[in-house]
Amino acid sequence: MAQQEDVFKKIVAHCKEYGFVFPSSEIYDGLGAVYDYGQNGIELKNNIKRYWWDAMVKLNENIVGIDSSIFMHPTIWKASGHVDAFNDPLIDNKDSKKRYRADVLIEEQIAKYDEKIEKEVAKAAKKFGDAFDKEKFLATSVHCQEHQAKRDALHARYAKAMNDNNLEELRQIIIDEEIACPISGTKNWTDVRQFNLMFSTEMGSTADGSMKIFLRPETAQGIFVNFLNVQKTGRMKIPFGIAQIGKAFRNEIVARQFIFRMREFEQMEMQFFVRPGEELKWFEHWKKVRLNWHKALGMGDENYRYHDHDKLAHYANAATDIEFRMPFGFKEVEGIHSRTNFDLSQHQKYSGKKIQYFDPELNENYVPYVIETSIGVDRMFLSIMCGAYTEEVVGENDTRVVLKLPAVLAPVKAAIMPLVKKDGLPEKAREIINTLKYDFNVQYDEKDSIGKRYRRQDAIGTPFCITVDHQTLEDGTVTIRERDTMEQERVPASELRNIIGAKTSFTELFKKLS
Ligand code: GAP
Protein backbone atom coordinates (compact mmCIF):
# COMPACT_ATOMS: atom_id res chain seq x y z
CA MET A 1 0.00 0.00 0.00
CA ALA A 2 2.76 2.42 1.02
CA GLN A 3 4.51 1.47 -2.23
CA GLN A 4 1.37 2.37 -4.19
CA GLU A 5 1.15 5.71 -2.39
CA ASP A 6 4.75 6.40 -3.47
CA VAL A 7 3.83 5.59 -7.06
CA PHE A 8 0.92 8.01 -6.86
CA LYS A 9 3.17 10.77 -5.48
CA LYS A 10 5.54 10.16 -8.38
CA ILE A 11 2.69 10.42 -10.88
CA VAL A 12 1.57 13.75 -9.38
CA ALA A 13 5.15 15.06 -9.52
CA HIS A 14 5.55 13.78 -13.08
CA CYS A 15 2.36 15.60 -14.16
CA LYS A 16 3.87 18.86 -12.96
CA GLU A 17 7.43 18.32 -14.17
CA TYR A 18 6.36 17.46 -17.71
CA GLY A 19 3.69 20.12 -18.25
CA PHE A 20 0.55 18.02 -17.75
CA VAL A 21 -1.08 19.46 -14.62
CA PHE A 22 -0.16 22.45 -12.42
CA PRO A 23 -1.77 23.57 -9.15
CA SER A 24 -4.01 26.57 -9.91
CA SER A 25 -2.71 30.02 -8.84
CA GLU A 26 0.53 28.39 -7.76
CA ILE A 27 2.51 31.62 -7.30
CA TYR A 28 -0.15 32.61 -4.73
CA ASP A 29 0.30 29.24 -2.96
CA GLY A 30 -2.49 27.52 -4.91
CA LEU A 31 -6.23 27.17 -4.51
CA GLY A 32 -7.54 23.97 -2.91
CA ALA A 33 -8.64 21.26 -5.32
CA VAL A 34 -8.38 23.51 -8.40
CA TYR A 35 -5.86 22.67 -11.11
CA ASP A 36 -4.61 23.97 -14.47
CA TYR A 37 -3.61 21.85 -17.45
CA GLY A 38 -0.23 22.55 -19.06
CA GLN A 39 0.98 22.26 -22.63
CA ASN A 40 0.96 18.45 -22.68
CA GLY A 41 -2.03 18.06 -20.37
CA ILE A 42 -4.33 20.04 -22.62
CA GLU A 43 -3.39 17.91 -25.64
CA LEU A 44 -4.11 14.69 -23.74
CA LYS A 45 -7.33 16.16 -22.37
CA ASN A 46 -8.49 17.29 -25.81
CA ASN A 47 -7.76 13.82 -27.22
CA ILE A 48 -9.82 12.19 -24.44
CA LYS A 49 -12.67 14.56 -25.20
CA ARG A 50 -12.42 13.84 -28.90
CA TYR A 51 -12.47 10.09 -28.26
CA TRP A 52 -15.64 10.48 -26.22
CA TRP A 53 -17.37 13.03 -28.45
CA ASP A 54 -16.78 11.19 -31.70
CA ALA A 55 -17.70 7.81 -30.17
CA MET A 56 -21.01 9.34 -29.10
CA VAL A 57 -21.93 11.86 -31.77
CA LYS A 58 -20.10 10.65 -34.88
CA LEU A 59 -20.64 6.91 -34.47
CA ASN A 60 -24.30 7.06 -33.44
CA GLU A 61 -26.72 8.64 -35.85
CA ASN A 62 -29.31 9.02 -33.07
CA ILE A 63 -27.02 11.04 -30.75
CA VAL A 64 -26.41 14.76 -31.21
CA GLY A 65 -24.38 17.25 -29.19
CA ILE A 66 -25.07 20.61 -27.55
CA ASP A 67 -23.18 23.20 -25.51
CA SER A 68 -25.41 24.78 -22.86
CA SER A 69 -24.52 27.63 -20.46
CA ILE A 70 -22.96 27.21 -17.06
CA PHE A 71 -25.35 29.82 -15.64
CA MET A 72 -28.95 28.66 -15.66
CA HIS A 73 -32.20 29.80 -14.13
CA PRO A 74 -32.02 29.05 -10.37
CA THR A 75 -35.38 27.26 -10.37
CA ILE A 76 -33.73 24.52 -12.45
CA TRP A 77 -31.79 23.46 -9.36
CA LYS A 78 -34.89 23.52 -7.20
CA ALA A 79 -36.68 21.33 -9.77
CA SER A 80 -33.76 18.91 -10.13
CA GLY A 81 -33.57 18.41 -6.36
CA HIS A 82 -30.06 19.82 -6.03
CA VAL A 83 -31.08 22.70 -3.73
CA ASP A 84 -32.64 20.30 -1.24
CA ALA A 85 -30.75 17.06 -1.68
CA PHE A 86 -27.29 17.59 -3.20
CA ASN A 87 -25.56 17.05 0.11
CA ASP A 88 -22.63 15.17 1.57
CA PRO A 89 -22.72 13.74 5.12
CA LEU A 90 -19.77 15.35 6.91
CA ILE A 91 -18.05 14.52 10.19
CA ASP A 92 -15.23 16.37 11.96
CA ASN A 93 -12.46 14.97 14.11
CA LYS A 94 -12.41 17.14 17.24
CA ASP A 95 -8.65 16.78 17.77
CA SER A 96 -7.24 17.34 14.28
CA LYS A 97 -10.15 19.66 13.33
CA LYS A 98 -10.15 17.85 9.97
CA ARG A 99 -13.41 17.29 8.14
CA TYR A 100 -14.29 14.02 6.38
CA ARG A 101 -17.15 12.57 4.41
CA ALA A 102 -18.75 9.98 6.70
CA ASP A 103 -19.69 7.78 3.71
CA VAL A 104 -16.11 7.83 2.41
CA LEU A 105 -14.68 6.82 5.81
CA ILE A 106 -17.03 3.82 5.90
CA GLU A 107 -16.40 2.85 2.27
CA GLU A 108 -12.66 2.88 2.98
CA GLN A 109 -13.29 0.57 5.91
CA ILE A 110 -15.22 -1.83 3.63
CA ALA A 111 -12.30 -1.71 1.17
CA LYS A 112 -9.95 -2.72 4.02
CA TYR A 113 -11.88 -5.99 4.48
CA ASP A 114 -11.61 -6.59 0.71
CA GLU A 115 -7.86 -5.99 0.90
CA LYS A 116 -7.53 -8.49 3.76
CA ILE A 117 -9.27 -11.14 1.65
CA GLU A 118 -7.07 -10.31 -1.35
CA LYS A 119 -3.96 -10.67 0.82
CA GLU A 120 -5.05 -14.12 2.06
CA VAL A 121 -5.68 -15.19 -1.54
CA ALA A 122 -2.30 -13.88 -2.73
CA LYS A 123 -0.52 -15.68 0.14
CA ALA A 124 -2.24 -18.98 -0.65
CA ALA A 125 -1.68 -18.61 -4.40
CA LYS A 126 2.04 -18.20 -3.75
CA LYS A 127 2.10 -21.21 -1.42
CA PHE A 128 0.17 -23.62 -3.68
CA GLY A 129 1.41 -22.43 -7.07
CA ASP A 130 -0.31 -23.95 -10.13
CA ALA A 131 -2.47 -26.22 -7.97
CA PHE A 132 -4.20 -23.18 -6.41
CA ASP A 133 -7.99 -23.10 -6.79
CA LYS A 134 -9.25 -19.64 -5.77
CA GLU A 135 -12.95 -20.55 -5.59
CA LYS A 136 -12.24 -23.53 -3.35
CA PHE A 137 -9.90 -21.51 -1.16
CA LEU A 138 -12.47 -18.74 -0.66
CA ALA A 139 -15.12 -21.30 0.25
CA THR A 140 -12.95 -23.07 2.83
CA SER A 141 -10.55 -20.53 4.36
CA VAL A 142 -11.77 -19.63 7.87
CA HIS A 143 -9.95 -16.27 7.79
CA CYS A 144 -11.47 -15.29 4.44
CA GLN A 145 -14.93 -16.26 5.58
CA GLU A 146 -14.57 -14.21 8.76
CA HIS A 147 -13.45 -11.14 6.82
CA GLN A 148 -16.23 -11.66 4.26
CA ALA A 149 -18.91 -11.96 6.95
CA LYS A 150 -17.71 -8.76 8.67
CA ARG A 151 -17.57 -6.96 5.34
CA ASP A 152 -21.06 -8.02 4.30
CA ALA A 153 -22.57 -7.06 7.64
CA LEU A 154 -20.92 -3.63 7.54
CA HIS A 155 -21.96 -3.15 3.94
CA ALA A 156 -25.61 -3.96 4.66
CA ARG A 157 -25.68 -1.66 7.70
CA TYR A 158 -24.05 1.18 5.74
CA ALA A 159 -26.37 0.79 2.73
CA LYS A 160 -29.41 0.95 5.01
CA ALA A 161 -28.14 4.03 6.86
CA MET A 162 -27.49 5.84 3.56
CA ASN A 163 -30.85 4.90 2.11
CA ASP A 164 -32.66 5.99 5.28
CA ASN A 165 -30.56 9.17 5.41
CA ASN A 166 -29.81 8.18 9.00
CA LEU A 167 -26.94 10.44 10.06
CA GLU A 168 -26.81 9.15 13.65
CA GLU A 169 -26.40 5.60 12.40
CA LEU A 170 -23.56 6.66 10.09
CA ARG A 171 -21.75 8.13 13.11
CA GLN A 172 -22.46 4.99 15.13
CA ILE A 173 -20.94 2.82 12.38
CA ILE A 174 -17.77 4.94 12.48
CA ILE A 175 -17.61 4.53 16.28
CA ASP A 176 -18.38 0.77 16.20
CA GLU A 177 -15.82 0.11 13.47
CA GLU A 178 -13.25 2.07 15.52
CA ILE A 179 -12.36 4.25 12.55
CA ALA A 180 -9.64 6.72 13.53
CA CYS A 181 -8.73 10.08 12.00
CA PRO A 182 -5.64 9.55 9.80
CA ILE A 183 -4.16 12.85 11.08
CA SER A 184 -4.73 12.76 14.86
CA GLY A 185 -5.15 9.00 15.17
CA THR A 186 -8.08 9.56 17.58
CA LYS A 187 -11.72 8.45 17.40
CA ASN A 188 -13.07 11.69 18.85
CA TRP A 189 -15.82 12.49 16.31
CA THR A 190 -18.54 15.16 16.07
CA ASP A 191 -22.08 14.46 14.87
CA VAL A 192 -22.65 13.89 11.15
CA ARG A 193 -24.18 16.90 9.31
CA GLN A 194 -25.42 17.45 5.77
CA PHE A 195 -23.62 20.03 3.60
CA ASN A 196 -24.85 21.34 0.21
CA LEU A 197 -22.20 21.17 -2.50
CA MET A 198 -23.38 23.90 -4.89
CA PHE A 199 -21.47 27.14 -5.36
CA SER A 200 -23.65 30.24 -5.67
CA THR A 201 -23.10 33.76 -6.98
CA GLU A 202 -25.14 36.87 -7.75
CA MET A 203 -26.37 37.86 -11.19
CA GLY A 204 -27.20 41.53 -11.90
CA SER A 205 -26.36 44.62 -9.79
CA THR A 206 -27.87 45.02 -6.33
CA ALA A 207 -29.66 48.21 -7.47
CA ASP A 208 -31.64 46.12 -10.00
CA GLY A 209 -32.35 43.51 -7.39
CA SER A 210 -29.81 40.78 -8.00
CA MET A 211 -30.64 37.12 -8.33
CA LYS A 212 -28.83 34.27 -6.56
CA ILE A 213 -27.73 31.76 -9.14
CA PHE A 214 -25.71 28.54 -8.94
CA LEU A 215 -22.69 27.29 -10.83
CA ARG A 216 -23.94 24.06 -12.33
CA PRO A 217 -22.90 20.96 -10.35
CA GLU A 218 -23.58 18.72 -13.39
CA THR A 219 -23.97 19.41 -17.11
CA ALA A 220 -27.01 17.11 -17.39
CA GLN A 221 -29.62 19.75 -16.51
CA GLY A 222 -28.59 21.85 -19.53
CA ILE A 223 -29.56 18.84 -21.66
CA PHE A 224 -32.91 18.29 -19.94
CA VAL A 225 -34.04 21.89 -20.29
CA ASN A 226 -33.13 21.77 -24.01
CA PHE A 227 -34.89 18.45 -24.61
CA LEU A 228 -37.75 19.95 -26.65
CA ASN A 229 -35.49 22.38 -28.55
CA VAL A 230 -33.27 19.56 -29.79
CA GLN A 231 -36.04 17.01 -30.32
CA LYS A 232 -38.12 19.39 -32.43
CA THR A 233 -35.37 21.17 -34.41
CA GLY A 234 -33.47 17.91 -35.00
CA ARG A 235 -36.70 15.93 -35.67
CA MET A 236 -35.30 13.32 -33.28
CA LYS A 237 -37.19 10.08 -32.76
CA ILE A 238 -37.04 8.09 -29.54
CA PRO A 239 -34.71 6.40 -28.67
CA PHE A 240 -32.20 9.23 -29.09
CA GLY A 241 -29.42 10.88 -27.10
CA ILE A 242 -28.05 14.36 -26.41
CA ALA A 243 -24.36 14.67 -25.51
CA GLN A 244 -22.48 17.52 -23.89
CA ILE A 245 -18.98 18.26 -22.59
CA GLY A 246 -18.55 21.10 -20.13
CA LYS A 247 -17.43 22.44 -16.78
CA ALA A 248 -19.16 21.57 -13.52
CA PHE A 249 -18.53 22.94 -10.03
CA ARG A 250 -18.87 21.36 -6.60
CA ASN A 251 -17.79 22.73 -3.27
CA GLU A 252 -16.17 19.41 -2.32
CA ILE A 253 -15.22 19.45 1.32
CA VAL A 254 -12.98 16.47 1.21
CA ALA A 255 -10.97 17.29 -1.87
CA ARG A 256 -8.10 14.84 -2.02
CA GLN A 257 -6.10 12.74 -4.41
CA PHE A 258 -5.04 15.41 -6.86
CA ILE A 259 -7.44 15.76 -9.81
CA PHE A 260 -9.62 12.87 -8.62
CA ARG A 261 -11.94 15.16 -6.66
CA MET A 262 -11.85 18.78 -7.79
CA ARG A 263 -13.98 21.84 -7.11
CA GLU A 264 -13.98 22.85 -10.78
CA PHE A 265 -13.95 19.96 -13.23
CA GLU A 266 -15.24 18.85 -16.58
CA GLN A 267 -17.92 16.28 -17.40
CA MET A 268 -18.84 14.40 -20.55
CA GLU A 269 -22.50 13.47 -20.22
CA MET A 270 -25.00 11.85 -22.53
CA GLN A 271 -28.71 11.59 -21.79
CA PHE A 272 -30.44 8.87 -23.78
CA PHE A 273 -34.24 9.29 -24.00
CA VAL A 274 -36.29 6.09 -24.20
CA ARG A 275 -39.84 4.78 -23.92
CA PRO A 276 -41.16 4.26 -20.38
CA GLY A 277 -40.68 0.62 -19.41
CA GLU A 278 -37.68 0.15 -21.73
CA GLU A 279 -35.20 1.96 -19.51
CA LEU A 280 -33.63 -1.09 -17.85
CA LYS A 281 -32.96 -2.73 -21.21
CA TRP A 282 -31.16 0.44 -22.35
CA PHE A 283 -29.38 0.70 -19.01
CA GLU A 284 -27.82 -2.74 -19.64
CA HIS A 285 -26.98 -1.70 -23.20
CA TRP A 286 -25.13 1.46 -22.14
CA LYS A 287 -23.32 -0.35 -19.32
CA LYS A 288 -21.77 -2.68 -21.90
CA VAL A 289 -21.09 0.02 -24.50
CA ARG A 290 -19.32 2.25 -22.02
CA LEU A 291 -17.14 -0.50 -20.56
CA ASN A 292 -16.09 -1.46 -24.09
CA TRP A 293 -15.20 2.17 -24.80
CA HIS A 294 -12.80 2.12 -21.85
CA LYS A 295 -11.34 -1.29 -22.59
CA ALA A 296 -10.73 -0.50 -26.27
CA LEU A 297 -7.92 1.82 -25.17
CA GLY A 298 -5.86 -1.25 -24.25
CA MET A 299 -4.99 -0.26 -20.68
CA GLY A 300 -5.71 -3.84 -19.45
CA ASP A 301 -9.20 -5.31 -19.06
CA GLU A 302 -8.38 -6.42 -15.52
CA ASN A 303 -8.10 -2.77 -14.46
CA TYR A 304 -11.82 -2.10 -14.90
CA ARG A 305 -14.85 -3.28 -12.98
CA TYR A 306 -18.49 -2.37 -12.38
CA HIS A 307 -19.66 -1.22 -8.99
CA ASP A 308 -23.43 -1.20 -8.51
CA HIS A 309 -24.76 1.56 -6.26
CA ASP A 310 -26.13 0.70 -2.82
CA LYS A 311 -27.69 4.10 -2.36
CA LEU A 312 -29.51 5.37 -5.42
CA ALA A 313 -29.54 9.11 -6.11
CA HIS A 314 -32.90 10.79 -5.62
CA TYR A 315 -33.64 10.51 -9.36
CA ALA A 316 -32.43 6.96 -10.21
CA ASN A 317 -33.95 3.46 -10.38
CA ALA A 318 -30.66 1.74 -11.28
CA ALA A 319 -27.05 2.92 -11.21
CA THR A 320 -23.59 1.53 -11.63
CA ASP A 321 -20.06 2.92 -11.74
CA ILE A 322 -17.23 1.92 -13.99
CA GLU A 323 -14.17 1.84 -11.77
CA PHE A 324 -10.50 1.89 -12.71
CA ARG A 325 -7.66 0.48 -10.64
CA MET A 326 -5.82 3.60 -9.42
CA PRO A 327 -2.75 3.32 -7.17
CA PHE A 328 -5.15 4.09 -4.27
CA GLY A 329 -7.57 1.30 -5.19
CA PHE A 330 -10.47 0.76 -7.62
CA LYS A 331 -12.21 4.15 -8.03
CA GLU A 332 -15.19 5.50 -9.94
CA VAL A 333 -14.42 7.05 -13.29
CA GLU A 334 -17.88 6.97 -14.86
CA GLY A 335 -21.46 6.63 -13.68
CA ILE A 336 -24.31 5.06 -15.64
CA HIS A 337 -27.71 5.96 -14.25
CA SER A 338 -31.27 5.10 -15.09
CA ARG A 339 -32.80 8.49 -14.15
CA THR A 340 -36.44 7.52 -14.84
CA ASN A 341 -38.55 10.47 -16.05
CA PHE A 342 -37.74 12.39 -12.88
CA ASP A 343 -35.89 15.37 -14.39
CA LEU A 344 -38.19 16.04 -17.34
CA SER A 345 -41.27 15.65 -15.12
CA GLN A 346 -39.85 18.04 -12.54
CA HIS A 347 -39.03 20.66 -15.20
CA GLN A 348 -42.52 20.23 -16.60
CA LYS A 349 -43.93 20.85 -13.14
CA TYR A 350 -41.72 23.81 -12.17
CA SER A 351 -41.75 25.59 -15.56
CA GLY A 352 -45.42 24.97 -16.27
CA LYS A 353 -44.45 23.96 -19.86
CA LYS A 354 -45.47 20.64 -21.32
CA ILE A 355 -42.34 18.52 -21.87
CA GLN A 356 -43.58 15.44 -23.68
CA TYR A 357 -42.87 13.37 -26.75
CA PHE A 358 -45.48 12.17 -29.20
CA ASP A 359 -44.58 8.61 -30.17
CA PRO A 360 -45.99 8.01 -33.66
CA GLU A 361 -45.64 4.22 -33.38
CA LEU A 362 -47.59 4.05 -30.11
CA ASN A 363 -49.77 7.01 -31.06
CA GLU A 364 -49.39 8.45 -27.55
CA ASN A 365 -47.72 11.27 -25.61
CA TYR A 366 -45.38 10.56 -22.71
CA VAL A 367 -42.52 12.00 -20.68
CA PRO A 368 -39.50 9.99 -21.85
CA TYR A 369 -37.33 7.97 -19.48
CA VAL A 370 -33.60 8.64 -19.42
CA ILE A 371 -30.39 6.63 -19.27
CA GLU A 372 -27.40 8.81 -18.46
CA THR A 373 -23.74 8.09 -19.02
CA SER A 374 -21.59 10.56 -17.06
CA ILE A 375 -17.81 10.60 -17.02
CA GLY A 376 -15.37 13.13 -15.57
CA VAL A 377 -12.74 14.25 -18.07
CA ASP A 378 -10.25 14.88 -15.29
CA ARG A 379 -10.84 11.52 -13.66
CA MET A 380 -10.46 9.80 -17.01
CA PHE A 381 -7.23 11.78 -17.47
CA LEU A 382 -6.00 10.59 -14.07
CA SER A 383 -6.87 6.97 -14.80
CA ILE A 384 -4.96 7.16 -18.08
CA MET A 385 -1.92 8.73 -16.41
CA CYS A 386 -1.97 6.10 -13.63
CA GLY A 387 -2.31 3.24 -16.11
CA ALA A 388 0.40 4.62 -18.39
CA TYR A 389 3.08 5.59 -15.86
CA THR A 390 5.83 2.97 -15.99
CA GLU A 391 9.32 2.77 -14.52
CA GLU A 392 11.38 0.36 -16.58
CA VAL A 393 14.84 -1.13 -16.15
CA VAL A 394 16.69 -0.72 -19.44
CA GLY A 395 20.11 -2.28 -19.07
CA GLU A 396 22.50 -2.31 -16.14
CA ASN A 397 21.98 0.48 -13.61
CA ASP A 398 19.68 2.31 -15.98
CA THR A 399 15.95 2.98 -15.77
CA ARG A 400 13.57 5.03 -17.81
CA VAL A 401 10.19 6.57 -17.00
CA VAL A 402 7.85 6.00 -19.88
CA LEU A 403 4.22 6.99 -20.26
CA LYS A 404 2.66 4.08 -22.12
CA LEU A 405 -0.26 6.19 -23.27
CA PRO A 406 -2.64 4.80 -25.89
CA ALA A 407 -1.05 6.28 -29.03
CA VAL A 408 -4.30 7.99 -30.10
CA LEU A 409 -4.33 9.96 -26.85
CA ALA A 410 -0.62 10.89 -26.72
CA PRO A 411 -0.09 14.69 -26.67
CA VAL A 412 2.74 14.53 -29.24
CA LYS A 413 2.61 11.83 -31.91
CA ALA A 414 6.19 12.10 -33.14
CA ALA A 415 9.37 13.99 -32.28
CA ILE A 416 11.66 14.88 -35.19
CA MET A 417 15.31 15.10 -34.21
CA PRO A 418 18.34 16.08 -36.26
CA LEU A 419 21.28 13.94 -35.10
CA VAL A 420 23.46 17.08 -34.93
CA LYS A 421 22.71 20.79 -35.13
CA LYS A 422 24.67 21.31 -38.35
CA ASP A 423 25.36 19.98 -41.88
CA GLY A 424 21.84 20.82 -43.05
CA LEU A 425 20.21 18.23 -40.72
CA PRO A 426 18.03 20.77 -38.82
CA GLU A 427 16.73 22.10 -42.15
CA LYS A 428 15.95 18.58 -43.34
CA ALA A 429 14.16 17.82 -40.05
CA ARG A 430 12.04 20.98 -40.45
CA GLU A 431 11.22 19.93 -44.00
CA ILE A 432 9.90 16.59 -42.67
CA ILE A 433 7.90 18.39 -39.97
CA ASN A 434 6.26 20.46 -42.69
CA THR A 435 4.99 17.27 -44.35
CA LEU A 436 3.57 15.92 -41.07
CA LYS A 437 2.25 18.89 -39.11
CA TYR A 438 -1.07 19.10 -40.95
CA ASP A 439 -2.03 15.61 -39.78
CA PHE A 440 -0.25 15.18 -36.44
CA ASN A 441 0.96 17.12 -33.44
CA VAL A 442 4.74 16.80 -33.96
CA GLN A 443 7.64 18.32 -32.08
CA TYR A 444 11.10 19.45 -33.13
CA ASP A 445 13.91 18.64 -30.69
CA GLU A 446 17.61 19.29 -31.25
CA LYS A 447 18.90 19.87 -27.70
CA ASP A 448 21.13 17.35 -25.83
CA SER A 449 22.22 13.87 -26.86
CA ILE A 450 19.83 11.61 -28.77
CA GLY A 451 19.54 9.37 -25.67
CA LYS A 452 18.39 12.27 -23.52
CA ARG A 453 15.95 13.39 -26.16
CA TYR A 454 14.46 9.87 -26.34
CA ARG A 455 13.96 9.86 -22.56
CA ARG A 456 12.28 13.26 -22.66
CA GLN A 457 9.82 12.01 -25.26
CA ASP A 458 9.26 8.71 -23.36
CA ALA A 459 8.32 10.77 -20.32
CA ILE A 460 5.49 12.50 -22.19
CA GLY A 461 4.39 9.33 -23.99
CA THR A 462 5.40 10.23 -27.58
CA PRO A 463 4.86 7.03 -29.63
CA PHE A 464 7.59 7.77 -32.24
CA CYS A 465 11.00 9.46 -32.32
CA ILE A 466 12.38 10.13 -35.80
CA THR A 467 16.06 10.81 -36.26
CA VAL A 468 17.41 12.67 -39.26
CA ASP A 469 21.09 11.89 -39.98
CA HIS A 470 23.61 12.26 -42.79
CA GLN A 471 22.21 9.26 -44.63
CA THR A 472 18.85 11.06 -44.76
CA LEU A 473 20.49 13.70 -46.97
CA GLU A 474 21.75 10.99 -49.30
CA ASP A 475 18.83 8.58 -49.64
CA GLY A 476 15.84 10.24 -47.92
CA THR A 477 15.57 7.59 -45.15
CA VAL A 478 15.27 8.21 -41.39
CA THR A 479 15.33 6.02 -38.28
CA ILE A 480 12.08 5.65 -36.46
CA ARG A 481 12.10 4.48 -32.83
CA GLU A 482 9.01 3.01 -31.23
CA ARG A 483 8.37 4.14 -27.64
CA ASP A 484 7.45 0.85 -25.93
CA THR A 485 9.80 -1.61 -27.64
CA MET A 486 12.54 1.03 -28.20
CA GLU A 487 13.19 -0.77 -31.50
CA GLN A 488 14.58 1.30 -34.36
CA GLU A 489 14.01 0.85 -38.04
CA ARG A 490 15.25 2.66 -41.12
CA VAL A 491 12.40 3.79 -43.34
CA PRO A 492 11.89 6.26 -46.21
CA ALA A 493 10.78 9.66 -44.85
CA SER A 494 7.98 9.53 -47.40
CA GLU A 495 6.49 6.56 -45.46
CA LEU A 496 6.27 8.41 -42.13
CA ARG A 497 2.78 9.75 -42.62
CA ASN A 498 1.41 6.22 -43.16
CA ILE A 499 3.40 4.67 -40.29
CA ILE A 500 2.42 7.33 -37.75
CA GLY A 501 -1.16 7.44 -39.02
CA ALA A 502 -1.63 3.66 -38.74
CA LYS A 503 -0.82 3.74 -35.03
CA THR A 504 -2.25 7.07 -33.91
CA SER A 505 -5.44 7.54 -35.89
CA PHE A 506 -8.80 7.14 -34.19
CA THR A 507 -10.21 5.15 -37.10
CA GLU A 508 -9.01 1.69 -36.00
CA LEU A 509 -10.10 2.37 -32.44
CA PHE A 510 -13.56 3.44 -33.57
CA LYS A 511 -13.88 0.31 -35.71
CA LYS A 512 -13.32 -1.76 -32.56
CA LEU A 513 -16.31 0.00 -30.97
CA SER A 514 -18.71 -0.58 -33.82
N1 GAP B 1 -25.08 13.87 -13.89
C1 GAP B 1 -24.73 12.83 -13.01
C2 GAP B 1 -23.55 13.09 -12.22
O1 GAP B 1 -23.04 14.21 -12.20
P1 GAP B 1 -21.82 11.98 -10.59
O2 GAP B 1 -21.62 10.52 -10.28
O3 GAP B 1 -22.00 12.91 -9.45
O4 GAP B 1 -23.09 12.01 -11.56
C3 GAP B 1 -20.32 11.86 -12.71
O5 GAP B 1 -20.62 12.48 -11.49
C4 GAP B 1 -18.83 11.80 -12.94
O6 GAP B 1 -18.26 13.11 -12.81
C5 GAP B 1 -18.07 10.96 -11.92
O7 GAP B 1 -18.06 9.59 -12.30
C6 GAP B 1 -16.67 11.56 -11.98
O8 GAP B 1 -15.95 11.02 -13.07
C7 GAP B 1 -16.96 13.02 -12.26
N2 GAP B 1 -16.88 13.82 -11.03
C8 GAP B 1 -17.85 14.00 -10.11
N3 GAP B 1 -17.43 14.81 -9.12
C9 GAP B 1 -16.15 15.15 -9.42
C10 GAP B 1 -15.16 15.96 -8.80
N4 GAP B 1 -15.40 16.62 -7.68
N5 GAP B 1 -13.94 16.08 -9.39
C11 GAP B 1 -13.69 15.43 -10.56
N6 GAP B 1 -14.58 14.66 -11.19
C12 GAP B 1 -15.80 14.51 -10.64
Side-chain angles (χ1 to χ4, degrees), residues 289-309:
V289 170
R290 293 306 302 149
L291 188 62
N292 278 346
W293 181 88
H294 286 276
K295 287 183 174 173
L297 285 172
M299 307 285 295
D301 290 3
E302 69 287 359
N303 291 321
Y304 298 91
R305 72 177 189 195
Y306 291 122
H307 169 77
D308 293 330
H309 284 208

Side-chain angles (χ1 to χ4, degrees), residues 60-64 227-242 270-276 278 282 356-364 366 368-369:
N60 293 288
E61 60 185 69
N62 61 349
I63 299 181
V64 292
F227 168 76
L228 283 182
N229 284 336
V230 175
Q231 191 272 316
K232 287 192 180 347
T233 57
R235 298 189 314 282
M236 307 301 291
K237 287 203 169 47
I238 273 180
F240 76 90
I242 305 178
M270 193 278 296
Q271 311 295 323
F272 197 71
F273 300 94
V274 303
R275 276 185 189 158
E278 293 191 354
W282 284 108
Q356 295 200 353
Y357 172 77
F358 175 72
D359 192 322
E361 283 171 37
L362 299 181
N363 199 25
E364 73 181 55
Y366 53 78
Y369 272 52

